[in-house]
Amino acid sequence: MAIHLGANQYGKAENRVVRIYRDTPRHQIRDLNVSTALRGRFDAAHTTGEQGDVLPTDTQKNTAFAFAKEKGIGAIEEYALTLGERFLAASPAAEGARIEVEEYAWERIEVDGQGHDHSFVRTGGGVRNTIVNVERGKAYVVSGISDLVVLKSTGSGFHGFLKDEYTTLPETDDRILATSLVARWRYEHTDVEWDKAYDRIKALLLEKFATIHSLALQQTLYGMGSAVLEAHPEVAEIRFSAPNKHHFLVDLSPFGVENPGEVFIAADRPYGLIEATVTRDDASDPGSAWHATPGFC
Amino acid sequence: MAIHLGANQYGKAENRVVRIYRDTPRHQIRDLNVSTALRGRFDAAHTTGEQGDVLPTDTQKNTAFAFAKEKGIGAIEEYALTLGERFLAASPAAEGARIEVEEYAWERIEVDGQGHDHSFVRTGGGVRNTIVNVERGKAYVVSGISDLVVLKSTGSGFHGFLKDEYTTLPETDDRILATSLVARWRYEHTDVEWDKAYDRIKALLLEKFATIHSLALQQTLYGMGSAVLEAHPEVAEIRFSAPNKHHFLVDLSPFGVENPGEVFIAADRPYGLIEATVTRDDASDPGSAWHATPGFC
Amino acid sequence: MAIHLGANQYGKAENRVVRIYRDTPRHQIRDLNVSTALRGRFDAAHTTGEQGDVLPTDTQKNTAFAFAKEKGIGAIEEYALTLGERFLAASPAAEGARIEVEEYAWERIEVDGQGHDHSFVRTGGGVRNTIVNVERGKAYVVSGISDLVVLKSTGSGFHGFLKDEYTTLPETDDRILATSLVARWRYEHTDVEWDKAYDRIKALLLEKFATIHSLALQQTLYGMGSAVLEAHPEVAEIRFSAPNKHHFLVDLSPFGVENPGEVFIAADRPYGLIEATVTRDDASDPGSAWHATPGFC
Amino acid sequence: MAIHLGANQYGKAENRVVRIYRDTPRHQIRDLNVSTALRGRFDAAHTTGEQGDVLPTDTQKNTAFAFAKEKGIGAIEEYALTLGERFLAASPAAEGARIEVEEYAWERIEVDGQGHDHSFVRTGGGVRNTIVNVERGKAYVVSGISDLVVLKSTGSGFHGFLKDEYTTLPETDDRILATSLVARWRYEHTDVEWDKAYDRIKALLLEKFATIHSLALQQTLYGMGSAVLEAHPEVAEIRFSAPNKHHFLVDLSPFGVENPGEVFIAADRPYGLIEATVTRDDASDPGSAWHATPGFC
């Protein structure tokens, strides 16, 4: 029996890179959370402690900040691809680089009906992100959104399910459906108008959540994913992780009060957790696109 | 030497009350986090364990949910006042009731350019809240906003400060100013159009944050507070708690790269913490308005 | 009507000061979270932005770190008192300084049955803290513990409570009682063996939680507080904030399974929240001891 | 082009199961967080919304609580295996079940030098957990620990690393090394004395962290993992995810104070993140053991 190093990865996580564009009085802001990691032939670093092949995580951090100025920050996918290529060039032992970027959205503060030049307020409505894996000669882009909290107050049921001796759930054809959606989609290639694609996919996910009459969260997610694949040939597959944030109808009958779907208690735990992939038959091989990302987002 | 009970309070915290209005196909949603507490002559409950005076926290919870249907939920201030009065009526030993309500905002999901009837997405941009203290014959309302994350990319300096042997901070007349604002304002009375007042005060706070050239976060807060007091005679005082979320300019000179106010690292801890009250000379006595609320929000 | 500045405070929050004592091969570690704030005649800083009286929060931070070496870190109460005095000396406009310190506990890692010289593992069991308020010629010390999670699986009931039309809670004489305790006690003076007092008070709080047959969390807290005041003449008063972390008995009868107090679901929200002060008749005036601390811890 | 369902999984997450053993006056407590999920041929549930094959997440929850009484809770691995088998039996369409359990540790409160019969205090020092994947005829067990916060105040360096034009990090042969360790190890089979194995592996991980002179966190992790594999033939591989929690030496020279490795600031973000697998040559095929678990813990 011999012991050896298996899969490995190292990097700097959660660099909070803030870039201000101030070439004109009307500033722009890009507010990122950047995590980088390298993987490859780093056996010596582990087995003997010899660090000659190791580009320090501190250097990775420096590069992330320097590139924000040197290369600028366009779409987060581009910035991540550029960083990934750089790390492979700088680190001969690396076989792959994984760059994850979250972007926080800001709106201009309104003053006299106009957006202010250099003052901003953080918005909600989901956090855009990307995970880019670069290998020598290959690049994979998985982009997505997290923390997209949505709710429909009707148009959702759950019935006809399998029953056993531990089943107590009543069937319903009218309930609240709510989730804090995580969606990630894999692009077929890197020849994409990233910002436009993101905006359209987000809008489509929301629209389908709204308009699909839900027989289960599974069916809603599948419908949302199918719509994205149909409208976006550049998307190979899409994965969802969606907590079913239960809203329980409160029993007001002890107080002589009816409650026809009007008063709910929002519960924390436990919650349903629905995870699914929707893919197309002719999708390309995912390669390392999902490297070190949990199976379902 | 004798030992006795001092100030005390008990209740049910963080009831997640969700109310759907569905009288027409165009639903409305109110999504609240409700905490209630009673205080008063509850000595026996503490000293002997005799609970005859104690309206259980479970009953307080039931009432919060039942009232969401029986009384409905208009402005959160009204709902809180109604709950507070109820608890005093139901609990003879209580001398005061404190009701704290947070409201989470939702927007309609856009479908074909229209807001959907019953599908919603959670928004950011601050959380509205109120703290109501009701005593027999008196009612105090302190309303506010939290988690209002704002940033200005210029128009902020800090110089001319006191120096001692531990001072290393350089003076600056151009820096990022960012905070996650908590503001609470005390109303003089309860004859207020709550929703309209909230909307206007929030807009005014944002506008002043944007337009005041900041010499320090203290001066910005004071200017924001003064503007509210000037425009809103129904507001007696306003308190702020504002972390100075530091954005440090990154030194890119080791890489031969200039950084004229463009690339920053957003730091987590430590952070400055600026707390201030702005009040008017003729403000009414606050009574128990700030009961059990930290000194500065 | 004139507008003016009311109460105010500013400082640097959450300085994570880690001090290693390494004079011998057997190292010691002190791991602190330090927040400092000054209050007083800082009107100009707010109203005109003139900062001549303002000792920057950055300087406060520098001092906290420098004193960790210059003065060393004994009991956190001593360290906080020393910092507070320093800030008043350095800041003529300040009328008071508030220093809050949390300390994270570490144990030596066991190797061959012995605690290792310089390797440590973080422990749980509550976080020690202190809040010190220093004014010119006066000093107030409030020390405490937070995150002390305790549970008793029997020896707790709740019955005989007030009922109204919203009451549905059944009475019980056997339930789980659990809380995540916050306790803060005010010392009468600063001539205290801080570490010894803390250890004894913590042990006494735990012992009383265990041995008091609970008729309500209120009565348990009162008993715990009384015991501290009886045993510690140096303590003037003690305040508690204790969430009643509900553990609900699960109804297993639909599955033909009895559940005599054996299987519970631990709930998150809502939770009861019980807050109380136990004090002695002849306690000294609290002065600013509780400045800017929520009413009940 | 056709669209179809890919990998999928659904279940109930974070059931907070608390089990009291009270057959004698000396109670015992098991405090768990249980997440269950099924995967398999659930196409109809997604594509048409037909739920006939779906054992609801609510039923999964009921079973987790009922089994806490019916089967009892021994080692969490056993409890998880039993639940997994049950779900496969109850759900013909399921091809696999994934059961994840965390266990929170409690100690008896000490009263008069003795552990109390039914009063407990939560401890720190890491959270034990297991992930069990059951398929028809196969079962995989990955157990581990999270939140194990460790630090060594010397015996750690970092030098000889690769340099490029973005490198500014100085080499060091004496620094603080600290991490919040996540470790997961895969067992070769289920014929294991679970509690004993866990205790020994945890102790060994701590001991090796303490005694290995660290040339990098990578080398420390590899040494910890090798030691586990050498001592535990029942362990096939072990994976680590370890944030390098930076403690930066504070520059006190502006104040004329030396700082020879004594005063540090503990930083939050960014942090290094080191992930590695240590495995043995003759390890069995992992099958679905790591299903839906992030690549490196």
Side-chain angles (χ1 to χ4, degrees):
Chain A
M1 187 265 317
I3 288 166
H4 64 94
L5 180 69
N8 62 87
Q9 178 172 277
Y10 79 99
K12 195 69 109 193
E14 303 209 36
N15 296 283
R16 292 282 290 105
V17 177
V18 177
R19 174 68 159 97
I20 306 295
Y21 285 90
R22 49 194 302 163
D23 309 286
T24 75
R26 194 156 183 82
H27 289 190
Q28 288 185 304
I29 179 171
R30 307 301 300 273
D31 185 359
L32 310 184
N33 192 12
V34 181
S35 298
T36 69
L38 298 178
R39 58 185 183 271
R41 297 181 305 279
F42 295 106
D43 296 69
H46 292 81
T47 57
T48 67
E50 207 282 314
Q51 303 296 313
D53 288 331
V54 171
L55 192 72
T57 68
D58 190 76
T59 302
Q60 296 179 35
K61 177 192 72 174
N62 286 347
T63 310
F65 283 98
F67 272 36
K69 169 66 179 164
E70 287 188 77
K71 312 289 180 179
I73 300 179
I76 54 175
E77 288 84 356
E78 271 182 72
Y79 170 73
L81 284 163
T82 305
L83 270 181
E85 292 294 351
R86 162 68 201 177
F87 290 136
L88 290 193
S91 169
E95 294 170 342
R98 183 183 191 274
I99 315 295
E100 182 166 353
V101 182
E102 284 191 313
E103 178 162 18
Y104 308 115
W106 295 85
E107 278 177 5
R108 293 181 187 280
I109 290 176
E110 196 173 292
V111 178
D112 298 333
Q114 304 270 318
H116 194 266
D117 269 357
H118 59 256
S119 298
F120 305 88
V121 58
R122 273 275 294 272
T123 61
V127 176
R128 178 176 172 181
N129 58 63
T130 193
I131 297 170
V132 166
N133 274 281
V134 180
E135 298 179 343
R136 301 197 180 271
K138 280 179 269 179
Y140 301 96
V141 179
V142 171
S143 291
I145 189 167
S146 62
D147 294 322
L148 185 63
V149 182
V150 289
L151 176 150
K152 53 197 303 180
S153 53
T154 190
S156 164
F158 187 54
H159 46 73
F161 44 76
L162 184 65
K163 290 169 191 67
D164 72 3
E165 62 266 41
Y166 293 105
T167 303
T168 57
L169 186 74
E171 313 212 356
T172 178
D173 52 18
D174 190 12
R175 61 170 186 173
I176 284 184
L177 183 68
T179 188
S180 176
L181 190 72
V182 180
R184 298 192 196 272
W185 50 90
R186 174 166 65 92
Y187 287 109
E188 282 285 3
H189 48 75
T190 59
D191 184 20
V192 173
E193 290 183 87
W194 304 113
D195 291 347
K196 189 188 284 185
Y198 173 80
D199 289 343
R200 287 189 178 168
I201 291 171
K202 178 181 172 183
L204 192 52
L205 291 170
L206 285 172
E207 181 194 318
K208 289 297 168 182
F209 176 81
T211 56
I212 293 171
H213 181 89
S214 179
L215 298 171
L217 186 44
Q218 281 94 325
Q219 176 241 12
T220 295
L221 296 176
Y222 188 81
M224 293 163 72
S226 298
V228 170
L229 293 182
E230 279 160 16
H232 291 270
E234 75 275 24
V235 174
E237 59 172 321
I238 182 167
R239 299 188 184 182
F240 298 100
S241 181
N244 194 338
K245 294 168 74 85
H246 303 307
H247 287 67
F248 295 112
L249 195 69
V250 179
D251 179 11
L252 301 178
S253 65
F255 324 124
V257 180
E258 289 190 12
N259 185 9
E262 294 179 301
V263 179
F264 297 84
I265 181 167
D268 296 309
R269 295 191 296 182
Y271 49 91
L273 183 57
I274 313 300
E275 300 168 297
T277 307
V278 189
T279 187
R280 60 175 84 241
D281 279 347
D282 56 353
S284 63
D285 183 77
S288 69
W290 298 96
H291 170 73
T293 303
F296 298 92
C297 308
Chain B
M1 188 269 306
I3 288 167
H4 64 93
L5 180 69
N8 63 86
Q9 178 171 275
Y10 79 100
K12 194 69 110 193
E14 303 210 37
N15 296 283
R16 291 284 289 104
V17 177
V18 177
R19 174 69 157 99
I20 306 295
Y21 284 90
R22 49 193 303 163
D23 309 286
T24 76
R26 196 157 181 82
H27 290 190
Q28 289 184 304
I29 179 171
R30 307 300 302 273
D31 184 359
L32 310 183
N33 192 12
V34 181
S35 297
T36 70
L38 299 178
R39 59 184 183 270
R41 296 181 305 277
F42 295 107
D43 297 69
H46 292 81
T47 56
T48 68
E50 207 280 314
Q51 302 297 313
D53 288 332
V54 171
L55 191 73
T57 67
D58 190 77
T59 302
Q60 296 179 36
K61 177 192 72 174
N62 286 346
T63 309
F65 283 98
F67 271 37
K69 169 66 178 164
E70 287 188 77
K71 312 288 180 178
I73 299 179
I76 55 175
E77 288 85 356
E78 272 183 72
Y79 170 73
L81 285 163
T82 306
L83 269 182
E85 292 294 350
R86 162 67 201 179
F87 290 136
L88 291 193
S91 169
E95 292 170 342
R98 183 182 191 276
I99 315 294
E100 183 166 354
V101 182
E102 284 192 314
E103 177 162 18
Y104 308 115
W106 295 86
E107 278 178 5
R108 292 181 188 279
I109 290 176
E110 196 173 291
V111 178
D112 298 334
Q114 304 269 318
H116 194 266
D117 269 357
H118 59 256
S119 297
F120 305 88
V121 57
R122 274 275 293 272
T123 62
V127 176
R128 178 177 172 180
N129 59 61
T130 194
I131 297 170
V132 166
N133 274 280
V134 180
E135 297 179 344
R136 301 195 181 273
K138 280 179 269 180
Y140 302 96
V141 178
V142 171
S143 292
I145 190 167
S146 62
D147 295 320
L148 186 63
V149 182
V150 289
L151 176 149
K152 53 197 303 180
S153 52
T154 190
S156 164
F158 187 54
H159 46 73
F161 43 77
L162 184 65
K163 291 169 192 65
D164 71 5
E165 63 264 43
Y166 294 105
T167 302
T168 57
L169 186 74
E171 313 212 355
T172 179
D173 53 18
D174 189 11
R175 60 170 186 174
I176 284 184
L177 182 68
T179 189
S180 175
L181 190 71
V182 180
R184 298 191 195 274
W185 50 90
R186 173 166 64 91
Y187 287 108
E188 282 285 3
H189 48 76
T190 59
D191 185 20
V192 173
E193 289 183 87
W194 305 112
D195 291 346
K196 190 187 285 185
Y198 173 80
D199 289 342
R200 287 188 178 168
I201 291 170
K202 177 181 172 184
L204 192 52
L205 291 170
L206 285 171
E207 180 194 318
K208 289 296 168 182
F209 175 81
T211 55
I212 293 170
H213 181 90
S214 180
L215 298 171
L217 186 45
Q218 281 94 325
Q219 175 240 14
T220 295
L221 295 177
Y222 188 81
M224 293 163 72
S226 298
V228 170
L229 293 182
E230 278 160 16
H232 290 271
E234 74 275 24
V235 174
E237 60 173 321
I238 182 166
R239 298 188 184 182
F240 299 99
S241 181
N244 193 339
K245 294 167 74 85
H246 303 307
H247 287 67
F248 295 112
L249 195 69
V250 179
D251 179 11
L252 302 177
S253 64
F255 325 124
V257 180
E258 290 191 11
N259 186 9
E262 294 179 300
V263 179
F264 297 85
I265 181 166
D268 296 309
R269 295 191 295 182
Y271 49 92
L273 184 57
I274 313 300
E275 300 168 298
T277 307
V278 188
T279 186
R280 59 175 85 240
D281 279 347
D282 56 352
S284 63
D285 183 77
S288 68
W290 297 97
H291 170 73
T293 302
F296 298 91
C297 309
Chain C
M1 188 270 306
I3 288 167
H4 64 93
L5 179 70
N8 62 86
Q9 178 172 277
Y10 78 99
K12 194 69 108 193
E14 303 210 36
N15 296 284
R16 291 284 288 105
V17 177
V18 176
R19 173 69 157 98
I20 306 294
Y21 284 90
R22 49 193 302 162
D23 309 285
T24 75
R26 195 158 182 82
H27 289 190
Q28 289 184 303
I29 180 171
R30 307 301 301 271
D31 185 359
L32 310 184
N33 192 11
V34 181
S35 297
T36 69
L38 299 177
R39 58 185 184 271
R41 298 181 305 278
F42 295 106
D43 296 69
H46 292 81
T47 57
T48 69
E50 207 280 315
Q51 303 296 313
D53 288 331
V54 170
L55 191 73
T57 67
D58 190 76
T59 302
Q60 296 179 36
K61 177 192 72 174
N62 286 347
T63 310
F65 283 98
F67 272 36
K69 169 66 178 164
E70 287 188 76
K71 312 288 179 179
I73 299 179
I76 55 175
E77 288 84 356
E78 271 182 73
Y79 170 73
L81 285 162
T82 306
L83 270 182
E85 293 293 351
R86 163 67 201 179
F87 290 136
L88 291 194
S91 170
E95 293 170 342
R98 183 183 191 274
I99 315 295
E100 182 165 352
V101 182
E102 283 191 313
E103 178 163 17
Y104 308 115
W106 295 85
E107 278 178 5
R108 293 180 188 279
I109 290 176
E110 197 173 290
V111 178
D112 298 334
Q114 304 270 317
H116 193 267
D117 268 358
H118 58 256
S119 297
F120 305 88
V121 58
R122 274 275 293 273
T123 61
V127 175
R128 178 176 171 179
N129 59 61
T130 194
I131 298 170
V132 165
N133 274 280
V134 180
E135 297 179 344
R136 301 195 182 273
K138 280 179 270 178
Y140 302 95
V141 178
V142 171
S143 292
I145 190 167
S146 62
D147 295 320
L148 186 63
V149 181
V150 289
L151 175 151
K152 53 197 303 181
S153 52
T154 191
S156 164
F158 187 54
H159 46 72
F161 44 75
L162 184 65
K163 290 169 192 64
D164 71 4
E165 62 266 41
Y166 294 105
T167 302
T168 57
L169 185 74
E171 313 211 356
T172 179
D173 52 19
D174 189 12
R175 61 170 185 174
I176 283 183
L177 182 68
T179 189
S180 175
L181 190 71
V182 180
R184 297 190 196 274
W185 51 90
R186 173 166 65 92
Y187 288 108
E188 281 286 3
H189 49 76
T190 60
D191 184 21
V192 173
E193 290 183 85
W194 304 112
D195 292 346
K196 190 187 285 186
Y198 173 80
D199 289 342
R200 287 189 179 167
I201 291 170
K202 178 182 171 183
L204 191 52
L205 290 170
L206 285 172
E207 180 194 318
K208 289 297 167 182
F209 175 82
T211 55
I212 293 170
H213 181 90
S214 179
L215 298 170
L217 186 46
Q218 281 94 325
Q219 176 241 12
T220 295
L221 296 176
Y222 188 81
M224 293 162 72
S226 297
V228 169
L229 293 182
E230 278 160 17
H232 290 271
E234 74 275 23
V235 174
E237 59 173 322
I238 182 166
R239 298 187 185 182
F240 299 100
S241 181
N244 194 339
K245 294 167 75 83
H246 302 307
H247 288 67
F248 295 112
L249 196 69
V250 179
D251 179 10
L252 301 178
S253 64
F255 324 124
V257 179
E258 290 191 10
N259 186 10
E262 293 179 301
V263 179
F264 297 84
I265 181 167
D268 296 309
R269 294 191 296 182
Y271 50 91
L273 184 57
I274 312 300
E275 300 168 297
T277 307
V278 188
T279 187
R280 58 175 85 241
D281 278 347
D282 56 353
S284 62
D285 183 76
S288 68
W290 298 97
H291 170 73
T293 303
F296 298 90
C297 307
Chain D
M1 188 265 315
I3 288 166
H4 64 94
L5 179 69
N8 63 87
Q9 177 172 277
Y10 79 100
K12 194 70 109 193
E14 302 210 35
N15 295 283
R16 291 283 289 104
V17 177
V18 177
R19 173 69 158 95
I20 306 295
Y21 285 90
R22 49 193 303 164
D23 309 286
T24 75
R26 195 156 182 84
H27 289 190
Q28 289 185 304
I29 179 171
R30 307 301 300 275
D31 184 0
L32 311 184
N33 192 11
V34 181
S35 297
T36 69
L38 298 178
R39 59 184 182 271
R41 298 180 304 277
F42 295 107
D43 296 70
H46 293 82
T47 57
T48 67
E50 206 280 316
Q51 302 296 313
D53 288 331
V54 172
L55 192 73
T57 67
D58 190 77
T59 303
Q60 295 179 36
K61 177 192 72 174
N62 286 347
T63 309
F65 283 98
F67 272 36
K69 169 66 179 164
E70 287 188 78
K71 312 288 179 179
I73 299 179
I76 55 175
E77 288 84 356
E78 271 182 73
Y79 170 73
L81 284 163
T82 305
L83 269 181
E85 293 294 350
R86 162 67 202 179
F87 290 137
L88 290 194
S91 169
E95 293 170 342
R98 183 183 190 275
I99 314 295
E100 182 166 353
V101 182
E102 283 191 314
E103 177 162 18
Y104 308 115
W106 295 86
E107 278 178 4
R108 293 180 188 280
I109 291 176
E110 195 173 292
V111 178
D112 298 334
Q114 304 270 317
H116 194 267
D117 269 357
H118 59 255
S119 297
F120 305 88
V121 58
R122 274 274 293 274
T123 61
V127 175
R128 178 177 172 181
N129 59 62
T130 194
I131 298 171
V132 166
N133 274 281
V134 180
E135 297 180 345
R136 301 196 182 272
K138 279 179 270 178
Y140 302 96
V141 179
V142 171
S143 292
I145 189 167
S146 63
D147 294 322
L148 185 64
V149 182
V150 289
L151 176 150
K152 53 197 303 180
S153 53
T154 190
S156 164
F158 187 55
H159 46 72
F161 43 77
L162 184 64
K163 290 169 192 66
D164 71 4
E165 62 265 43
Y166 294 105
T167 302
T168 58
L169 186 74
E171 313 212 355
T172 179
D173 53 17
D174 189 11
R175 59 171 187 174
I176 284 183
L177 182 68
T179 189
S180 175
L181 190 71
V182 179
R184 297 191 197 272
W185 50 90
R186 174 166 64 92
Y187 287 108
E188 282 285 2
H189 49 76
T190 59
D191 184 20
V192 173
E193 289 183 86
W194 305 112
D195 291 347
K196 190 186 285 185
Y198 173 80
D199 289 343
R200 286 187 178 169
I201 292 170
K202 178 181 171 184
L204 191 52
L205 291 170
L206 285 171
E207 181 194 318
K208 290 297 167 182
F209 176 82
T211 56
I212 293 171
H213 181 89
S214 179
L215 298 171
L217 186 45
Q218 281 93 325
Q219 175 240 13
T220 295
L221 296 176
Y222 188 80
M224 293 162 72
S226 298
V228 169
L229 292 182
E230 279 160 16
H232 290 270
E234 74 275 23
V235 174
E237 59 172 321
I238 181 166
R239 298 188 183 181
F240 298 99
S241 182
N244 194 340
K245 294 168 74 83
H246 302 308
H247 287 68
F248 295 112
L249 196 68
V250 179
D251 179 11
L252 302 178
S253 64
F255 324 123
V257 179
E258 290 190 12
N259 186 9
E262 294 178 301
V263 179
F264 297 85
I265 180 167
D268 295 310
R269 295 191 295 182
Y271 49 91
L273 184 56
I274 313 301
E275 300 167 297
T277 308
V278 188
T279 186
R280 58 176 84 240
D281 279 346
D282 56 352
S284 62
D285 183 77
S288 69
W290 298 97
H291 170 73
T293 302
F296 298 92
C297 307

